[in-house]
Amino acid sequence: MADQEGTPQKSLGTDVISPSKTLYSTPSTSTSGFNSGNDMSPPWDQGWQLFIPASIQDGSSRFGFIENALSEGNEQKLIEVEEQCKSLVNECEEGSDERRWLVRQLVEVRLKIQEKKDEDVSLKATVRLVLGHHMQLQDNNLNNTKLQCDRCCAAIWAMIHSWFRCIDCDYVCHTRCLSLITRACVHVAVSERPEYELRICPEVGLASSQRFKCTECNTPVTFTIPPIVTCFGRYTPQADQSWSEPRLCDYSGFYFCPTCHWNTSAIVPARVVHNWDFEPRKVSRAAQQLLRLMAEKPVLILKDLNPRIFGLVEELSVVQGLRENLLQMKRYLSTCDSAISEHLMWQLGSRQHFVENAHSYSMQDLIDINSGTMLPFVNQIHESFAKHIKKDCKVCHGRGFLCEFCHDPEVLFPFDPAVYSCPNCLFAFHNSCWLEKGNDECPRCLRIKQRHSRLSIPQEDDFS
Ligand SMILES: [Zn+2]
Ligand SMILES: [Zn+2]
Ligand SMILES: [Zn+2]
Ligand SMILES: [Zn+2]
Ligand SMILES: [Zn+2]
Ligand SMILES: [Zn+2]
């Protein structure tokens, strides 16, 4: 059948073609030769032949990347390979065997890309909008993850159940529970109003406000009826089976049924802000999800919420001091080309609010301060920024100050210890020199004011 001596093999059978290469073996009425027409036309128009040029069959890995991309199925990679294939086709001699083979590969790549696009569309079609949730059908049936349905509390076995997950808040439920969801997506609440309940367990009253119903799903709830002791012994009257035990959510102060409150514990922001109390309390599922989504949002302005707390928690006041320094360092770093190109401020990672203001904290910040992991982190950032400004960078160092009062040659920076920095112009003086001078106006501010009044131009930030 095939010529083994280097001439192109023109076998029609599948005997020389691996199964992966028979994908598009469109039946053809022609059994000999090739269609001499336009080789860019679809295979079914060409009297498609299953043919691999010997040069490629010989194990030349030159075109191996095409097959790799086809088997990997990565859409981006396939798009790149499509482009490479196109240019390879153009480079090949017209009518050559390699060219025909490459055209066929190109068609395969294009079909695979289309297949991937269709998959995406069908994936999007599996997202359902329910009470603000974007519930997406999960099809990872091969893993044996066990989850708990947020609606009915029963187990979800990924391998046997059909189930959905909210892509925004991670709410999960069986497909059969999808139409019964009663909890609105907490992600919507968090996006619209990223705030915490900061009253400590503002209990609203099961009877007065909730009328003995779960605040989320309206299931009747009541406390257990106490046992009755009679001369015949002790017995517990049977409560109506449709009633269940109310569970208080320490975060919201509402009562929930056991389906909506799983007795899971979480640190409650109100207790932290007012009492520096990190003891986890039992909260509803909704509160737990909300606390998780809010954890890294810097929405707690502690100096307004509870200014006394800085005097009570030493580590918090140290971190606060370092954060104020970081803000002063930002004035150097944000105007220094080398600091910008080195992405120095990226060291803060998700804590960019540390260089946006000195007062906002996220719950995660407070948890880390309490656990002792925050102080080393801020210290390390502080050291790194200071090293750039005072040692590594001539530009930043050149923007230091000499104390005008004592004319000491030591260069001072507003974030140095024992330095007084004018809040208006940032000019730095030794703390002792400033105190010695009494409450006089900063000499630099005075000069700027005099200059402005002489020139009578509007004042602007003179920091340079
Ligand atoms: Zn959701
Ligand atoms: Zn369920
Ligand atoms: Zn409920
Ligand atoms: Zn610099
Ligand atoms: Zn001085
Ligand atoms: Zn000043």
Side-chain angles (χ1 to χ4, degrees), residues 130-135 165-171 183-188 289 293:
V130 187
L131 292 181
H133 296 280
H134 287 94
M135 301 300 289
R165 179 196 291 276
C166 173
I167 52 181
D168 297 324
C169 75
D170 274 348
Y171 183 103
R183 184 186 314 152
C185 183
V186 291
H187 180 264
V188 177
Q289 286 173 340
L293 291 182

Side-chain angles (χ1 to χ4, degrees), residues 200-258:
I200 295 175
C201 194
E203 200 175 326
V204 287
L206 185 59
S208 53
S209 302
Q210 295 192 220
R211 298 182 181 279
F212 293 103
K213 284 181 179 167
C214 165
T215 195
E216 187 176 305
C217 70
N218 274 336
T219 298
V221 283
T222 188
F223 291 106
T224 319
I225 302 162
I228 295 172
V229 182
T230 67
C231 52
F232 301 109
R234 204 180 138 92
Y235 78 99
T236 309
Q238 286 299 302
D240 184 332
Q241 290 301 304
S242 64
W243 288 61
S244 39
E245 157 213 356
R247 291 180 179 176
L248 180 65
C249 169
D250 195 86
Y251 170 73
S252 65
F254 286 105
Y255 283 93
F256 293 81
C257 72

Side-chain angles (χ1 to χ4, degrees), residues 194 196 294-301 323 350-354 356-357 359-365:
Y196 285 116
M294 287 284 291
E296 300 213 332
K297 292 193 187 291
V299 294
L300 297 167
I301 313 294
R323 281 189 61 176
S350 62
R351 292 200 159 106
Q352 288 302 315
H353 55 283
F354 279 18
E356 279 156 18
N357 62 71
H359 301 290
S360 67
Y361 288 87
S362 69
M363 263 308 280
Q364 194 57 51
D365 293 340

Side-chain angles (χ1 to χ4, degrees), residues 420-427 429 434 441-446 448:
Y420 170 80
S421 169
C422 165
N424 300 322
C425 70
L426 287 190
F427 203 95
F429 313 92
W434 176 260
E441 199 172 352
C442 153
R444 189 175 189 229
C445 278
L446 203 62
I448 293 168

Side-chain angles (χ1 to χ4, degrees), residues 24 68-79 82 107-125 139:
Y24 302 106
N68 290 345
L70 282 168
S71 57
E72 263 178 44
N74 177 311
E75 192 178 339
Q76 194 49 45
K77 200 161 185 185
L78 284 164
I79 291 169
E82 185 195 8
V107 174
E108 278 197 33
V109 169
R110 284 179 177 168
L111 283 167
K112 193 82 182 177
I113 292 170
Q114 191 52 48
E115 204 178 279
K116 287 279 148 198
K117 285 192 174 141
D118 291 347
E119 267 175 27
D120 283 353
V121 171
S122 66
L123 202 64
K124 278 180 193 138
D139 58 359

